[in-house]
C-alpha cells in the first residue's frame, strides 16, 4: 500500500466516523423531545427538601451523562476509525504517566464537586428538631398504623391504614381503576406548612416507609424508632409505597398522605377524637348476633383476609385454615386470646393494638359462625375489654 | 516447544479415564474447569427460567401467572442461583482452565481439593432447589435474606437454605485457596508477579477477597440458625437483639462479593481487548494497582447498601465518601481499556464485541452506581427498580458478557475447533439488544417510583414493564443459541491453529489446540522480556 492510499483510507475512516456521530446525535435528540419526562424521571415533590434532592439528582445525572458521552464518544470514534479493515496500523504506546495521573486526579475533583452539595442536603434532611406534630408510623404485615402522639393518651388518635383495591382487581376479575394498588382506606392526614415529624418503627419484620413527593424513605425496623420529617407546601394527596421486602403482600401495602389546610386538619382531628370516644361507649352495650356478624365480616375482610383468605381456608402451612378445625370451632376463650394477644414468633399479630374490643368481639364471633362453622356462640365486646384490661 | 512434545508422550500413558468416573474422580484442572463451566451454564438456565417467570408476571399489571408467595420465591432463588450458581462457578471454571496454562503450571496446586470443591456444588444446589418442593415453599425473603423475615418469619425450608450456603462457602474457600497457592507457587521460573497476565492478577486478588468474606457469610447464616433453632436472639429485637446487625454482617460479606463477581471479568476483558486491537494493554501497572485498590475499598463501603436504615449522619457521610472513591480506580480501568483501543488496528470478532459491550455497559452501571452513592438521592433510588437496573447492568452485560467473551475467546484453545463466527455475532447482537431493552427502561421505572420485589404494580408503570419483559425473553432465548454454538464447536468445525488469534499474547497460546490433557509438565521457557 502506498503512502497516499493509506492516507486516503485514513480520511474515509474519519468521514465514516463523522457520519455515524451526526446520525447518533440526531436520533438521540429527537428521542429526547418525544419522551414524556414526568413518567421517566424522579419527582420534584412538594417540599423544599424534595426539590433539593431532585436538583442534586439532576446534577449528578448530568455529570454522568457528560462523562458517558466523552468516554463512549472516544471509544466509538476509535472503533469506527482505528480498524484493521481500513488499513489502520496499530500504534505501539502502552503507557503515559501524564495521562494516567490526569485521569486519576481529575475525577477526584469531579467527585468533590458532587460531595459538597450532597453533604449540605443531607445535613438539612437529618435536622429533625422542632417538630410541630409527631406521628408514629408503625409497619405491620401488611398495613400501616398511624398514631398522632399526644401527651394525654385519651386524646391520642390511632388508626390502621390498609390497601383499598379489592382482590378482584388484581386477579383480573374486575377492571383496574385509577390508583390501582395505590389507595388506602384511611389515609394519613397532615396539615400543610407545619413541620411534621414521623417516628418510624415496625411491629414485625422490616418495612420501609417511602413517600417520593416528600423525599422521605426510612426503614421501619422492629426495636428501633427512626425519625424523618416533612414540611408540605401544597395541599394534595401524595402516594407512596413500602420499599423493604416484608413478605407476601409487600407490594400491597401502599401509603397515602392527605395534606390539608390547618383548619381542615383540626376539624378532622376533632372528628377522629370523637369517633374514638364513641367506640369506647359502644363497648359497654350488649350486641346482638346479627350486629356482631355484620361488623365481624367487615373487620375480617380488612384485617384477617390477607392471611386466612376470604373463604377462611388460609394458605396452609403458613396461614392455617379456620374452617371446621382448630380454635375457631374450639374453646371460645382460647380463640379470643389468640386474636387479642397473637402468637409469639408467628405472623399472627396481637390485634389488641389494632382493633377495639367491639371489633375483636365481632371478628371472633364471625369466625365461629361463618363458612359453615356453626358453633353458635358469641362474645360481647365488654368481655373482650375486661380481658384486655385485666392483662394491663 | 519441548514441553509440547513431552506432553504428547505423556498423553499416551496418562490420558483421561473413560466414562462417567473420569468426571467424578478427575483431578485434572481442565476437566474440573469444564465441569465448573457446564455446571454454571446449567444454573444460568435454571436461574434464567426463574427470571422469565418474574418478567412474565410483570408483563402487565395484575396477578396473572403466579401468586405473590411464589413470586417472592422466584426473586429469591433467581438471585441466589445466579450469584452463587452461575457467575461465581463460571469464573472458578475459567480460573481452573486458564490459570495453570497462563502461568506455565502443570495443574492446580491442590488437585484433589479441586475435585472436592467442585463436587460439593451439585449437592449444595440440589439441596437449595429441593426447597421449591417443600411444604411452605422455598426461601422467599430475597437473596439478601434480611432478618427477621428470614428467621422468625421464614418458611421451614430456611434451614436447608442455610446448609446449602454453608456448602457453597466451603466450596468457594477451597477453590480460592487453590487459586492462591497455585499462583504463588507454580509460576514458570522467571515469571514475576508483575509479569502475570491480568486475568491471573485479578483472580489472585479475588481469591483473597473470597477467603476473607465467605467465613463472614457462614457466620451470619450460623447466627440465623441459632436464632431459629437454638433460642438465641442475635437478630430478634424482642429478645434484645438487633435486626440491623444482620445487615451490617451480611453486607460486610455482600459488598466484597460484588467485586468477586467483577474483578475476574476485568481480567478477561484486559486479555481480549489488546488481542483484537493488536496493541499492548495500556497501563498494565496501573491496572494491577487499580484492582488492588478496588479490592481494598470494597471492605470499607458496605453500609452504602443501608443508607435508609437510620445510621447517624457521620456514618452516612463516611460511607458516601468512601463509596465515591471507588469511582477513581474503576475510572482508571475504563480509561485504560479505551486507551488500549485507541490507535489500534481493531477487528471485531465475537469475543471483542462482547468485551467492548462490557466496557460500555459496565460503565453505565458504574455511573448509576455513582448516583446511588449520593445519600440524599439514594433515599429516592433505594430499593426501587433503579437499583435493579444498576446491578443488572454490572452483572449481566458486566460479569456475564465477560464470561461469554471468555468462552468465545478460549473455546478454540479448549476444543481445537473454531466456533461459528456468524452465529457468534448473531448471539452477541441478540444478547446486546435483549439486555438493553430489558434493563435500560428499568432505570425509568425506578425513578418514577416502582419498588423492587413487587409482584404487581400501579398502572403508570405498565408500558416500560412490558418493554422490559419483551427484552428479557429476547435475551433469555438467545442463550439457547449460545448453547448450540458451544456444542457445535465441541463437536467439530474449522481447526484452530495453536495461536488461534493473530495478536494474542500469553503462554496458553504456545501450546497445541486443543490443549493436551497435560500441559507444562516441564515448565516453559519464558519469552525474552521486552524490558519494562
Ligand atoms: Cu412492608
Amino acid at each position: 500500500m502506498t503512502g497516499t492510499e493509506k492516507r486516503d483510507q485514513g480520511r474515509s475512516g474519519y468521514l465514516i466516523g463523522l457520519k455515524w456521530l451526526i446520525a447518533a446525535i440526531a436520533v438521540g435528540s429527537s428521542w429526547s423531545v418525544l419522551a414524556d419526562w414526568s413518567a421517566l424521571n424522579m419527582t420534584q415533590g412538594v417540599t423544599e427538601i424534595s426539590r433539593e434532592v431532585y436538583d442534586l439528582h439532576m446534577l449528578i445525572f448530568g455529570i454522568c451523562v457528560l462523562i458517558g458521552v466523552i468516554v463512549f464518544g472516544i471509544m466509538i470514534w476509535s472503533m469506527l476509525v482505528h480498524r484493521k479493515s481500513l488499513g489502520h496500523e496499530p500504534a505501539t504506546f502502552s503507557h503515559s504517566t501524564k495521562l494516567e495521573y490526569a485521569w486519576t486526579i481529575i475525577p477526584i475533583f469531579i467527585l468533590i464537586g458532587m460531595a459538597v452539595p450532597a453533604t449540605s442536603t443531607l445535613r438539612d434532611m437529618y435536622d429533625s428538631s422542632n417538630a410541630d406534630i409527631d406521628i408514629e408510623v408503625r409497619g405491620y404485615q401488611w398495613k400501616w398504623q398511624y398514631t398522632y402522639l399526644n401527651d394525654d393518651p385519651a386524646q391520642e388518635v390511632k388508626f390502621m391504614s390498609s390497601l383499598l383495591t379489592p382482590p378482584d382487581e388484581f386477579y383480573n376479575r374486575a377492571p383496574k381503576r385509577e390508583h390501582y394498588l395505590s389507595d388506602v382506606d384511611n389515609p394519613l392526614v397532615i396539615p400543610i406548612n407545619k413541620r411534621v415529624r414521623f417516628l418510624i418503627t415496625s411491629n414485625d419484620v422490616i418495612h420501609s416507609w417511602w413517600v417520593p413527593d416528600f423525599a422521605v424513605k426510612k426503614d421501619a425496623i422492629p426495636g428501633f424508632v427512626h425519625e424523618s420529617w416533612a414540611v408540605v407546601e401544597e395541599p394534595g394527596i401524595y402516594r407512596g409505597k413500602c420499599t423493604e421486602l416484608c413478605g407476601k403482600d409487600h407490594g400491597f401495602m401502599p401509603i397515602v398522605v392527605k395534606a390539608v389546610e390547618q383548619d381542615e386538619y383540626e376539624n378532622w382531628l376533632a372528628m377522629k377524637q370523637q369517633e374514638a370516644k364513641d367506640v369506647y361507649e359502644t363497648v359497654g352495650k350488649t350486641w346482638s348476633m346479627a350486629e356482631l356478624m355484620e361488623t365481624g365480616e367487615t373487620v375480617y375482610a380488612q384485617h384477617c383476609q390477607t392471611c386466612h383468605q376470604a373463604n377462611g381456608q388460609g394458605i396452609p402451612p403458613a396461614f392455617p385454615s379456620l374452617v371446621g378445625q382448630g380454635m375457631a370451632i374450639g374453646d371460645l376463650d382460647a380463640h379470643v386470646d389468640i386474636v387479642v394477644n397473637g402468637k409469639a414468633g408467628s405472623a399472627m399479630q396481637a390485634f389488641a393494638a389494632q382493633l377495639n374490643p367491639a371489633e375483636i368481639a365481632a371478628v371472633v364471633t364471625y369466625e365461629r359462625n361463618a363458612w359453615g362453622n356453626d358453633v353458635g356462640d358469641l362474645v360481647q365486646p365488654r368481655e373482650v375489654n375486661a380481658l384486655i384490661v385485666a392483662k394491663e | 516447544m519441548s514441553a509440547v512434545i513431552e506432553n504428547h508422550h505423556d498423553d499416551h500413558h496418562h490420558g483421561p479415564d473413560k466414562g462417567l468416573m473420569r468426571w467424578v474422580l478427575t483431578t485434572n484442572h481442565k476437566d474440573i474447569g469444564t465441569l465448573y463451566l457446564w455446571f454454571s451454564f446449567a444454573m444460568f438456565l435454571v436461574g434464567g427460567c426463574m427470571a422469565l417467570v418474574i418478567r412474565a408476571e410483570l408483563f402487565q399489571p395484575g396477578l396473572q401467572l403466579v401468586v405473590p408467595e411464589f413470586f417472592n420465591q422466584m426473586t429469591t432463588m433467581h438471585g441466589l442461583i445466579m450469584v452463587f450458581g452461575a457467575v461465581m462457578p463460571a469464573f472458578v471454571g475459567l480460573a481452573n482452565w486458564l490459570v495453570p496454562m497462563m502461568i506455565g503450571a502443570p495443574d492446580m496446586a491442590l488437585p484433589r481439593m479441586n475435585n472436592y470443591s467442585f463436587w460439593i456444588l451439585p449437592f449444595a444446589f440440589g439441596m437449595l432447589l429441593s426447597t421449591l418442593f417443600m411444604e411452605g415453599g422455598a426461601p422467599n425473603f430475597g437473596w439478601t435474606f434480611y432478618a427477621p423475615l428470614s428467621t422468625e418469619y421464614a418458611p421451614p425450608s430456611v434451614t436447608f437454605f442455610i446448609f446449602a450456603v454453608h456448602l457453597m462457602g466451603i466450596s468457594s474457600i477451597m477453590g480460592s485457596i487453590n487459586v492462591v497457592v497455585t499462583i504463588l507457587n507454580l509460576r514458570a521460573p522467571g515469571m514475576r508477579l508483575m509479569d502475570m497476565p491480568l486475568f491471573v492478577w485479578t483472580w489472585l486478588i479475588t481469591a483473597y477477597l473470597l477467603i476473607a468474606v465467605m467465613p463472614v457469610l457462614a457466620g451470619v447464616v450460623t447466627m440465623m440458625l441459632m436464632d431459629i433453632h437454638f433460642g438465641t436472639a442475635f437478630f430478634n429485637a424482642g429478645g434484645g437483639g438487633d435486626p440491623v446487625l444482620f445487615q451490617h454482617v451480611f453486607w460486610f460479606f455482600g459488598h466484597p462479593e460484588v467485586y468477586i463477581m467483577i474483578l475476574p471479568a476485568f481480567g478477561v476483558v484486559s486479555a481480549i481487548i489488546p488481542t483484537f486491537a493488536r496493541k499492548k494493554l495500556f497501563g498494565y501497572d496501573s491496572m494491577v494497582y487499580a484492582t488492588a485498590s478496588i479490592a481494598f475499598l470494597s471492605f470499607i463501603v458496605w453500609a452504602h447498601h443501608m443508607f435508609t436504615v437510620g445510621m447517624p449522619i457521620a456514618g452516612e457521610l463516611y460511607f458516601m465518601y468512601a463509596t465515591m472513591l471507588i469511582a477513581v480506580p474503576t475510572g482508571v480501568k475504563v480509561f485504560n481499556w479505551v486507551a488500549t483501543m485507541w490507535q489500534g488496528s481493531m477487528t471485531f470478532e465475537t469475543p471483542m464485541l462482547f468485551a467492548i459491550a462490557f466496557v460500555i455497559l459496565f460503565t453505565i452501571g458504574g455511573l448509576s452506581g455513582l448516583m446511588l452513592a449520593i445519600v440524599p438521592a439514594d433515599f429516592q433510588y433505594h430499593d426501587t427498580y433503579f437499583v435493579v437496573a444498576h446491578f443488572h447492568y454490572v452483572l449481566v452485560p458486566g460479569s456475564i458478557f465477560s464470561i461469554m467473551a471468555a468462552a468465545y475467546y478460549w473455546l478454540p484453545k479448549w476444543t481445537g475447533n473454531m466456533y461459528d463466527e456468524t452465529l457468534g455475532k448473531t448471539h452477541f447482537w441478540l444478547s446486546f439488544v435483549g439486555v438493553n431493552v430489558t434493563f435500560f427502561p428499568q432505570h425509568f421505572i425506578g425513578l418514577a417510583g416502582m419498588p423492587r420485589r413487587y409482584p404487581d404494580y400501579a398502572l403508570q408503570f405498565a408500558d416500560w414493564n412490558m418493554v422490559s419483559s419483551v427484552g428479557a425473553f429476547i435475551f433469555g432465548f438467545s442463550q439457547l443459541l449460545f448453547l448450540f454454538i458451544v456444542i457445535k464447536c465441541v463437536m467439530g468445525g474449522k481447526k484452530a491453529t495453536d495461536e488461534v488469534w493473530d495478536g494474542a499474547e500469553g503462554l496458553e497460546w504456545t501450546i497445541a489446540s486443543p490443549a493436551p490433557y497435560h500441559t507444562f509438565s516441564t515448565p516453559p521457557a519464558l519469552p525474552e522480556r521486552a524490558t519494562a
Side-chain angles (χ1 to χ4, degrees):
Chain A
M1 197 174 340
T2 68
T4 21
E5 261 173 19
K6 212 168 177 181
R7 217 173 309 126
D8 278 357
Q9 276 202 343
R11 185 159 333 120
S12 73
Y14 285 107
L15 277 178
I16 294 175
L18 219 65
K19 269 190 225 152
W20 276 97
L21 216 66
I22 292 169
I25 292 169
V27 171
S29 50
S30 59
W31 182 78
S32 64
V33 172
L34 290 175
D36 168 16
W37 278 109
S38 70
L40 303 178
N41 200 1
M42 183 190 288
T43 172
Q44 301 202 28
V46 289
T47 67
E48 206 184 310
I49 292 283
S50 71
R51 275 189 301 272
E52 259 183 66
V53 170
Y54 173 82
D55 291 341
L56 190 61
H57 156 70
M58 289 312 282
L59 171 78
I60 333 159
F61 176 63
I63 295 175
C64 287
V65 169
L66 198 72
I67 297 173
V69 167
I70 295 170
V71 174
F72 302 152
I74 295 173
M75 269 183 86
I76 290 168
W77 181 272
S78 172
M79 272 150 55
L80 295 172
V81 176
H82 306 144
R83 294 168 162 255
K84 193 177 176 212
S85 59
L86 296 172
H88 195 276
E89 293 289 330
T92 51
F93 62 84
S94 72
H95 68 271
S96 150
T97 313
K98 262 190 227 144
L99 213 54
E100 288 172 57
Y101 272 118
W103 66 43
T104 309
I105 291 165
I106 295 173
I108 294 180
F109 284 101
I110 299 177
L111 292 175
I112 293 174
M114 295 177 174
V116 170
T119 305
S120 95
T121 304
L122 190 65
R123 281 167 161 276
D124 295 346
M125 294 176 109
Y126 258 70
D127 174 13
S128 57
S129 54
N130 298 325
D132 298 314
I133 300 172
D134 277 329
I135 300 175
E136 186 198 84
V137 174
R138 184 177 282 267
Y140 282 83
Q141 279 183 323
W142 293 281
K143 57 204 160 208
W144 297 96
Q145 182 183 53
Y146 300 116
T147 309
Y148 291 68
L149 298 182
N150 197 311
D151 294 336
D152 172 9
Q155 297 281 322
E156 212 167 69
V157 170
K158 182 186 224 171
F159 57 88
M160 303 300 297
S161 174
S162 45
L163 178 70
L164 201 56
T165 308
D168 275 354
E169 283 188 37
F170 41 85
Y171 286 112
N172 306 309
R173 293 188 289 255
K176 299 178 176 42
R177 287 167 301 178
E178 207 194 348
H179 306 311
Y180 172 67
L181 295 185
S182 323
D183 245 348
V184 298
D185 48 3
N186 300 307
L188 176 67
V189 178
I190 59 171
I192 55 168
N193 298 324
K194 280 275 152 59
R195 211 170 150 90
V196 182
R197 181 160 55 189
F198 306 107
L199 304 164
I200 301 168
T201 184
S202 167
N203 202 56
D204 36 53
V205 298
I206 303 179
H207 305 262
S208 189
W209 198 75
W210 181 34
V211 181
D213 283 308
F214 306 167
V216 168
K217 182 187 283 154
K218 212 31 56 89
D219 292 356
I221 304 175
F224 288 81
V225 179
H226 290 310
E227 292 179 358
S228 205
W229 62 276
V231 178
V232 179
E233 289 161 1
E234 294 161 35
I237 291 183
Y238 304 107
R239 293 170 202 279
K241 306 247 154 50
C242 175
T243 48
E244 183 58 63
L245 178 61
C246 56
K248 158 173 108 59
D249 283 350
H250 169 50
F252 302 86
M253 49 181 292
I255 296 156
V256 179
V257 183
K258 202 169 146 194
V260 297
E261 304 282 353
Q262 177 69 22
D263 47 354
E264 195 181 337
Y265 169 74
E266 274 160 17
N267 289 340
W268 174 86
L269 198 66
M271 186 192 79
K272 277 287 180 190
Q273 280 162 346
Q274 187 57 45
E275 251 175 42
K277 228 154 122 207
D278 291 349
V279 165
Y280 194 74
E281 276 154 19
T282 58
V283 169
K285 85 171 202 198
T286 302
W287 291 50
S288 73
M289 180 65 135
E291 281 171 321
L292 286 169
M293 285 299 280
E294 195 192 326
T295 312
E297 188 170 359
T298 329
V299 174
Y300 185 85
Q302 264 180 22
H303 296 275
C304 321
Q305 184 162 301
T306 43
C307 296
H308 295 292
Q309 304 297 297
N311 59 11
Q313 309 265 359
I315 314 174
F319 309 117
S321 166
L322 304 173
V323 182
Q325 60 169 54
M327 295 189 191
I329 57 164
D331 179 37
L332 179 61
D333 292 342
H335 189 177
V336 174
D337 181 74
I338 193 171
V339 180
V340 168
N341 297 317
K343 167 126 189 226
S346 87
M348 183 62 199
Q349 303 146 11
F351 279 94
Q354 304 175 36
L355 302 177
N356 65 50
E359 287 169 323
I360 293 179
V363 77
V364 167
T365 307
Y366 176 74
E367 284 177 350
R368 301 178 77 75
N369 299 290
W371 321 296
N373 283 358
D374 281 325
V375 188
D377 56 1
L378 56 75
V379 56
Q380 286 297 337
R382 90 175 78 77
E383 300 169 69
V384 174
N385 191 44
L387 202 90
I388 297 172
V389 173
K391 232 191 131 220
E392 281 168 0
Chain B
M1 222 36 227
S2 68
V4 177
I5 295 162
E6 264 195 31
N7 287 335
H8 251 298
H9 176 75
D10 256 17
D11 261 0
H12 195 68
H13 298 285
H14 196 79
D17 294 342
K18 293 277 170 289
L20 184 67
M21 287 327 264
R22 161 180 176 184
W23 300 103
V24 176
L25 298 177
T26 184
T27 54
N28 178 291
H29 73 103
K30 300 186 181 80
D31 281 355
I32 294 175
T34 306
L35 285 171
Y36 264 111
L37 288 171
W38 278 112
F39 176 79
S40 134
F41 191 75
M43 286 297 122
F44 180 55
L45 293 185
V46 172
C49 289
M50 293 171 176
L52 292 186
V53 171
I54 295 170
R55 282 315 326 168
E57 176 55 54
L58 294 175
F59 182 71
Q60 51 184 3
L63 295 170
Q64 285 70 239
L65 300 172
V66 298
V67 289
E69 295 90 312
F70 190 68
F71 184 90
N72 288 346
Q73 295 174 32
M74 286 292 103
T75 52
T76 306
M77 295 292 272
H78 162 73
L80 291 169
I81 286 183
M82 286 305 198
V83 167
F84 295 102
V87 174
M88 290 170 67
F91 282 128
V92 181
L94 291 175
N96 260 291
W97 254 106
L98 297 171
V99 167
M101 281 171 20
M102 285 177 163
I103 62 174
D107 203 313
M108 297 294 276
L110 308 165
R112 177 62 64 194
M113 193 162 96
N114 206 7
N115 172 291
Y116 294 152
S117 50
F118 172 76
W119 278 109
I120 285 176
L121 286 182
F123 294 97
F125 284 89
M127 186 176 316
L128 184 62
L129 286 169
S130 74
T131 58
L132 280 166
F133 307 99
M134 289 179 187
E135 198 169 277
N140 54 10
F141 30 66
W143 86 274
T144 51
F145 53 100
Y146 282 7
L149 190 61
S150 62
T151 53
E152 279 169 83
Y153 294 83
S157 62
V158 65
T159 309
F160 291 87
F161 154 82
I162 292 173
F163 193 36
V165 169
H166 272 304
L167 289 178
M168 293 170 205
I170 293 171
S171 158
S172 291
I173 292 172
M174 296 205 303
S176 7
I177 290 177
N178 216 342
V179 169
V180 170
V181 176
T182 306
I183 296 174
L184 294 185
N185 293 301
L186 296 188
R187 271 167 295 137
M191 182 184 274
R192 298 169 308 184
L193 286 176
M194 289 309 269
D195 298 330
M196 299 193 307
L198 260 171
F199 180 75
V200 180
W201 253 118
T202 52
W203 241 114
L204 180 63
I205 292 171
T206 303
Y208 276 111
L209 287 183
L210 275 165
I211 295 171
V213 300
M214 291 315 277
V216 179
L217 176 66
V220 80
V221 294
T222 307
M223 288 157 93
M224 282 169 62
L225 189 77
M226 302 289 281
D227 273 12
I228 295 169
H229 292 295
F230 302 108
T232 56
F234 290 111
F235 307 132
N236 174 356
D242 179 350
V244 179
L245 174 68
F246 173 89
Q247 299 183 27
H248 282 292
V249 184
F250 176 82
W251 285 114
F252 189 81
F253 146 79
H255 197 76
E257 170 67 22
V258 310
Y259 289 94
I260 288 165
M261 293 190 284
I262 203 67
L263 294 184
F266 292 164
V268 167
V269 170
S270 304
I272 292 174
I273 290 182
T275 298
F276 295 95
R278 292 168 182 74
K279 194 163 152 278
K280 261 180 100 81
L281 180 69
F282 188 92
Y284 173 91
D285 293 13
S286 65
M287 282 300 217
V288 172
Y289 299 139
T291 310
S293 339
I294 292 174
F296 169 73
L297 288 172
S298 77
F299 283 109
I300 58 169
V301 296
W302 74 90
H304 67 209
H305 298 271
M306 307 163 48
F307 283 143
T308 61
V309 301
M311 277 183 286
I313 188 164
E316 307 266 300
L317 288 174
Y318 160 73
F319 282 108
M320 169 166 80
Y321 300 149
T323 303
M324 292 172 82
L325 264 188
I326 296 191
V328 176
T330 312
V332 167
K333 295 205 151 265
V334 172
F335 300 140
N336 281 342
W337 290 319
V338 177
T340 308
M341 292 166 67
W342 186 253
Q343 294 291 354
S345 174
M346 277 186 271
T347 51
F348 300 92
E349 286 85 347
T350 312
M352 181 65 161
L353 290 175
F354 273 106
I356 292 176
F358 170 95
V359 176
I360 295 181
L361 301 180
F362 171 78
T363 303
I364 292 179
L367 290 170
S368 61
L370 182 58
M371 296 174 72
L372 285 162
I374 309 292
V375 179
D378 179 75
F379 289 157
Q380 296 283 50
Y381 308 140
H382 179 72
D383 266 345
T384 68
Y385 261 84
F386 190 80
V387 176
V388 177
H390 156 72
F391 69 74
H392 280 93
Y393 258 84
V394 293
L395 279 173
V396 185
S399 307
I400 289 180
F401 270 24
S402 84
I403 294 165
M404 286 170 178
Y408 283 108
Y409 185 59
W410 280 291
L411 258 182
K413 177 57 63 188
W414 298 338
T415 64
N417 306 317
M418 296 304 287
Y419 59 86
D420 185 325
E421 191 63 58
T422 318
L423 287 182
K425 284 188 173 147
T426 314
H427 171 228
F428 167 76
W429 284 109
L430 284 172
S431 301
F432 181 80
V433 170
V435 128
N436 284 294
V437 173
T438 310
F439 297 115
F440 207 74
Q442 294 186 356
H443 291 109
F444 305 139
I445 306 175
L447 289 176
M450 177 162 160
R452 66 194 280 205
R453 295 163 166 167
Y454 265 34
D456 195 5
Y457 48 84
L459 301 176
Q460 76 260 33
F461 307 122
D463 296 349
W464 290 112
N465 266 301
M466 191 175 277
V467 172
S468 179
S469 291
V470 170
F473 277 85
I474 297 176
F475 181 78
F477 282 99
S478 15
Q479 303 324 312
L480 296 178
L481 180 58
F482 181 52
L483 177 64
F484 175 74
I485 296 170
V486 172
I487 292 176
K488 187 165 174 243
C489 178
V490 173
M491 307 291 276
K494 209 181 107 211
K495 292 287 157 245
T497 60
D498 290 357
E499 207 196 4
V500 183
W501 311 107
D502 55 351
E505 268 186 48
L507 289 175
E508 76 267 33
W509 308 111
T510 63
I511 54 184
S513 298
Y517 199 57
H518 293 285
T519 39
F520 299 126
S521 308
T522 43
L526 293 181
E528 212 48 47
R529 210 173 278 136
T531 61

